[in-house]
Amino acid sequence: MTNLLSPGHAAALDAADPLRTFRDEFLIPRHDGHEQAYFCGNSLGLQPRGVRAHVEEVLDKWAAEAVEGHFTGQAQWMPYHELVREPLAHLVGAKAQEVVAMNSLTANLHLMMVSFYQPTIERTAILIEAGSFPSDRYAVESQLRFHGLPPDATLIEVEPDLPNGVFSMQRIEQAIRDNAQRLCMILWPGVQYRSGQAFDLARIAALGHEAGAIVGFDLAHAVGNLPLQLHDWNADFAVWCHYKYLNSGPGAVAGCFVHERHAATQRPRFAGWWGNDASVRFRMGPQFQPTPGADGWQLSNPPILGLAPLRAASEQFLRAGMPALREKSLRLTTYLGQLVDAHLADAIEIVTPRDDAQHGSQFSLRVKAGRDGGRALFEHLATQGVIGDWREPDVIRISPAPLYNNFEDVRRFALAAIDWMKAR
Ligand SMILES: *Cc1c(COP(=O)(O)O)cnc(C)c1O
């Protein structure tokens, strides 16, 4: 039998990994003279080494050219957001015109709902998952109130039907069908932030449309984690951030998708000058003439310094390719699962569904000892340089990111957790 815990086993898996050199392109924080085993890419991805040059390029250009930097030389600021368009389209499976980098996730969610949540007398309801990320819930609830609608009558929060906050597809399907007459919009996550469950978004979009609803996705935990096909899946809109799996730095400029069939929409929108067609924007006329496609939802000239890291970070994804990243991600979580099953089953339950189609990089680990034991394990891991994150009351999220984590990192997690278990 192979010894899953032997250093040789992890080393062999690392040697066979075609993406192994990407790790060298990251700055990995250190602990006691060694690199951390950093599993927090679901919260803040590590810094790609290439980021600094792009940020410095902007600073240097500003110093040397000032206002001329908008129109001259390499990486001009006027069309700067277009530099990330192609990699973003690749990441979410969209046409170039369907994606734009702008604002922040929650701001984009509001802008999308202004356009796509248009309640009628018959259809007022918004359907989300119970236990959704607070910002999404606040955004949805405040939109309902903005339209003068009482959330307790118009916000449908689908309760999970399986243990540990997991949903069966039948449950989601039933909730959509049961509310078909009154559904105006569905907002669903690509990957649920707490349970780590990934969803069949193509199916949810199809069911939502069949019910006559708009379907939008929050891809905060899915982008750069799972291969996505937003165009083919027919999503109406999607929003996501770039500081998690996309490694673009704290508070990075976010992303937004609007399906091409809405490119020339007559729907209302909150407009700003940067959404005005570039060909006429600087005539400074009084009439808003939106740029067709996602660009038409831009408000302001973008923070170039905030966009600069996304150039370096998204280029890595384009180079590695989402199919190869997904393949490695599955190998990493398989190894993590094997180690937990073989050595940690008494202490830890993996609450994320194990079926490949229902998870990404993240495994949410429920610590059987409860909150105090869980905190103790979490803190013990940190003393060993193993960095996950904590979700109340008893969950540790561990997310091996295929761009920079290796199999040895996963082994280090298991060794540290076994240590803790044996000392109890
Ligand atoms: C991370 C995350 C957010 C964060 O919102 P910001 O506007 O980027 O601060 C929102 N929703 C979900 C589902 C998230 O995972």
Side-chain angles (χ1 to χ4, degrees), residues 76-137:
Q76 303 174 12
W77 301 331
M78 195 72 81
Y80 196 88
H81 68 286
E82 290 174 10
L83 296 170
V84 296
R85 193 189 298 288
E86 192 195 332
L88 291 192
H90 168 78
L91 277 164
V92 299
K95 297 190 174 180
Q97 272 217 335
E98 294 175 318
V99 293
V100 65
M102 61 180 189
N103 312 318
S104 59
L105 186 160
T106 308
N108 288 341
L109 179 55
H110 274 300
L111 291 178
M112 289 294 99
M113 285 197 282
V114 161
S115 292
F116 291 101
Y117 175 61
Q118 287 294 309
T120 61
I121 303 280
E122 298 81 29
R123 290 181 179 272
T124 54
I126 301 181
L127 183 145
I128 63 175
E129 95 274 25
S132 67
F133 194 92
S135 198
D136 300 53
R137 196 185 183 288

Side-chain angles (χ1 to χ4, degrees), residues 6 51 78 85 124 133 164 177 183 219 276 303 308 335 337 374:
S6 76
V51 160
M78 195 72 81
R85 193 189 298 288
T124 54
F133 194 92
N164 299 311
R177 289 199 201 286
L183 264 191
L219 303 176
N276 206 34
Y335 184 44

